[in-house]
Amino acid sequence: MAPSAMRTAGAALSAASLSDARPVPYWLDDPGRPGALPALTGDEHCDLLVIGGGYSGLWTALLAKERDPERDVVLIEGREVGWAASGRNGGFCAASLTHGFSNGLARWPGELRKLEELGERNLDAIEATVARYAIDCSFERTGEIDIATEPYQLDDLHELYEEASRLGHTGLEPLDRDAVRAEVDSPTFLGGLWNRRGVAMLHPAKLAWGLKRACAELGVRLYENTRGLELARARSAAGSGMAVRTPYGRVFARKVALGTNVFPSLVRRVRPYTVPVYDYALMTEPLTEAQRAAIGWKNRQGLGDSANQFHYFRITDDHRILWGGYDAIYPYGGRLDTALHHRPETYLKLATHFFHCFPQLEGVRFSHAWGGAIDTCSRFSAFFGTAYDGQVAYAAGYTGLGVGATRFGGEVMLDLLAGERTERTALEMVRSKPLPFPPEPAAWAGIGLTKWSLARADARGGRRNLWLRTMDRLGLGFDS
């Protein structure tokens, strides 16, 4: 068969695999999904108001009650808990607070040891919380393998291993071609680096729902379908504080923690630091025993390839494969639009890539296909700050690695609201900000040029052009 005919046949097979895919996130398509709590009506008063019912807000509310059980905490969520990124991600819960070791080394080399230590402690604390509150979210400390699919990526992984070992990072295991294919078999895999303890796999929506239940059990008052519309100073009989207007009422609070992430911050000066990037994923039907035997994957690690435009993939409890990433779609003006939660052209591209990676799974069909927005910042990892003379704290910019790091962000926000100097607030990472994105049309043009350059680098053995090298020197980037 001629190459063009083979491509046509491959596209037809990929399209057929998507014909029954439900356009909803697999994690949220669950009969055990809890019903929404009532919206806030009238006025509420509290010590701490948390805005946002994703991981960032849930962890902050839970930690606030664990630190001080007498603290009166209210959490409001604009839709339902876990509806946005917290229920749409791949379920990779990483110890890294810096969007990976390489990014941390490039930005905070002097404190990377401390950041790695804090990240490891944070992941341990998540595991302990899951056990303490009996959160049934399929938490598995399987680790993750960074995969090389091109020769230059082998060199990059070797350099990463050497640098991490020099700084005392343990638990990394280099894998050659045969070793990585003994773990998960794909003809595209040339080698890998297995982080054995630094990543857990979990069911992301069930983690959010479990945190919601734990918060309620500790006395947090939660209101869903309650957007925070406006933030302002307020005075009441209880003293000075903040007031947040909602569709049907108001909340008066001494302190406010903003966990709104990709959604426009109620502190307007924070908005230029993040842009929304839409990411997409597919989920296969459950694999048969023969299909599972064809690929191995008995140790259930998370996987990610090492290209600039990368894929992430993992296996679920019921033997499905989640396959996501590659496309990172920035909408002009940074607009948020639920219509962008679905992109058939990306689904087709992802399906084609899936069967290139796993040709032995030809004939497998996809049951779910979905997308969602990630809060991306120019340094790829979260930033923090306060407003209104320390009465409001915020954390944002997790750039797709927030399943674990949001708990650390909750700790930081509570430290900042308490006015405490801790090992967290003393970090340069916490005290500094990323560079903001420029206004339109410069943001659109710059992001478009960066995406084109990253794709070109992938096609040219990783060689970065002048634009990317300049961006590297300025500490700017674009990722999902």
Side-chain angles (χ1 to χ4, degrees):
M1 185 181 294
S4 60
M6 291 177 65
R7 286 193 296 271
T8 300
L13 287 170
S14 297
S17 73
L18 292 162
S19 62
D20 297 321
R22 288 170 51 78
V24 294
Y26 167 78
W27 311 115
L28 298 177
D29 189 20
D30 190 300
R33 181 175 180 173
L37 296 170
L40 170 70
T41 58
D43 290 351
E44 266 279 22
H45 295 80
C46 60
D47 298 323
L48 173 66
L49 170 64
V50 179
I51 302 179
Y55 296 140
S56 193
L58 291 165
W59 280 119
T60 303
L62 184 70
L63 290 164
K65 292 296 283 186
E66 288 183 339
R67 289 186 181 194
D68 179 3
E70 299 304 313
R71 182 164 16 196
D72 189 18
V73 180
V74 168
L75 183 149
I76 61 173
E77 158 57 33
R79 294 283 293 263
E80 294 181 34
V81 161
W83 169 82
S86 298
R88 296 169 183 268
N89 64 82
F92 288 63
C93 186
S96 177
L97 305 174
T98 61
H99 207 273
F101 185 88
S102 296
N103 191 54
L105 183 63
R107 299 182 188 281
W108 304 287
E111 63 184 26
L112 186 56
R113 282 181 184 267
K114 185 63 176 179
L115 288 166
E116 290 286 298
E117 176 198 336
L118 288 169
E120 290 167 7
R121 283 160 45 188
N122 184 64
L123 183 56
D124 288 342
I126 292 171
E127 184 172 18
T129 300
V130 167
R132 182 163 62 253
Y133 295 102
I135 298 175
D136 180 18
C137 64
S138 303
F139 188 100
E140 295 181 90
R141 202 77 172 255
T142 58
E144 179 181 5
I145 303 177
D146 291 330
I147 301 291
T149 57
E150 296 288 344
Y152 78 89
Q153 295 168 12
L154 287 172
D155 296 333
D156 292 344
L157 290 179
H158 177 74
E159 182 179 335
L160 171 61
Y161 174 71
E162 293 295 326
E163 194 64 54
S165 299
R166 184 181 65 80
L167 291 177
H169 192 298
T170 59
L172 298 180
E173 179 182 343
L175 303 174
D176 62 17
R177 178 182 177 278
D178 291 341
V180 74
R181 291 189 63 174
E183 293 296 329
V184 185
D185 192 18
S186 166
T188 68
F189 293 176
L190 304 180
L193 186 62
W194 188 355
N195 183 344
R196 282 186 169 272
R197 291 282 300 167
V199 182
M201 295 291 106
L202 52 76
H203 187 302
K206 287 184 177 179
L207 174 62
W209 301 335
L211 291 172
K212 171 184 174 180
R213 174 180 55 79
C215 284
E217 289 173 353
L218 293 185
V220 176
R221 299 194 302 286
L222 298 103
Y223 298 95
E224 294 180 280
N225 293 306
T226 302
R227 286 182 59 208
L229 300 175
E230 185 180 12
L231 176 69
R233 296 183 188 274
R235 288 191 175 277
S236 68
S240 64
M242 303 301 301
V244 173
R245 183 170 61 86
T246 71
Y248 308 128
R250 296 173 298 177
V251 183
F252 296 92
R254 291 188 175 90
K255 306 281 186 179
V256 176
L258 297 177
T260 49
N261 297 323
V262 77
F263 298 96
S265 177
L266 292 180
V267 177
R268 294 188 67 89
R269 60 182 165 82
V270 176
R271 295 181 184 181
Y273 289 101
T274 63
V275 295
V277 175
Y278 282 82
D279 181 59
Y280 299 89
L282 306 176
M283 186 71 85
T284 72
E285 63 189 355
L287 302 187
T288 66
E289 186 175 345
Q291 289 166 336
R292 297 199 302 272
I295 59 172
W297 215 341
K298 295 177 182 177
N299 290 315
R300 306 177 55 78
Q301 310 94 328
L303 302 178
D305 65 55
S306 302
N308 292 301
Q309 292 183 288
F310 61 92
H311 305 88
Y312 56 87
F313 37 122
R314 50 83 54 95
I315 198 160
T316 67
D317 286 354
D318 57 350
H319 310 297
R320 302 169 185 263
I321 295 177
L322 178 145
W323 179 266
Y326 194 81
D327 270 353
I329 304 302
Y330 169 69
Y332 185 86
R335 74 186 188 281
L336 290 166
D337 186 348
T338 55
L340 295 171
H341 286 174
H342 301 292
R343 198 166 190 266
E345 59 268 45
T346 293
Y347 299 153
L348 182 59
K349 188 183 299 182
L350 285 173
T352 302
H353 295 174
F354 176 86
F355 291 114
H356 175 70
C357 181
F358 294 120
Q360 63 270 53
L361 295 182
E362 182 180 319
V364 166
R365 300 176 75 83
F366 295 99
S367 63
H368 296 75
W370 71 94
I374 293 169
D375 61 325
T376 295
C377 74
S378 63
R379 74 183 194 187
F380 308 152
S381 56
F383 62 91
F384 314 89
T386 60
Y388 294 94
D389 301 319
Q391 291 179 293
V392 176
Y394 57 83
Y398 291 95
T399 317
L401 212 65
V403 179
T406 44
R407 183 190 176 280
F408 175 82
E411 295 269 30
V412 171
M413 283 195 282
L414 293 173
D415 290 349
L416 292 172
L417 290 173
E420 297 175 348
R421 183 175 176 84
T422 67
E423 60 182 346
R424 290 177 289 267
T425 61
L427 292 166
E428 180 189 351
M429 176 194 176
V430 171
R431 293 183 288 108
S432 64
K433 294 282 195 301
L435 290 171
F437 289 94
E440 298 294 10
W444 172 261
I447 289 171
L449 180 56
T450 301
K451 288 178 61 180
W452 176 84
S453 298
L454 291 171
R456 192 164 183 259
D458 284 338
R460 301 178 66 210
R463 294 190 296 277
R464 299 172 78 81
N465 63 14
L466 178 61
W467 175 258
L468 291 180
R469 294 197 302 272
T470 302
M471 297 279 280
D472 292 341
R473 287 195 296 271
L474 295 175
L476 285 165
F478 177 77
D479 197 9
S480 68

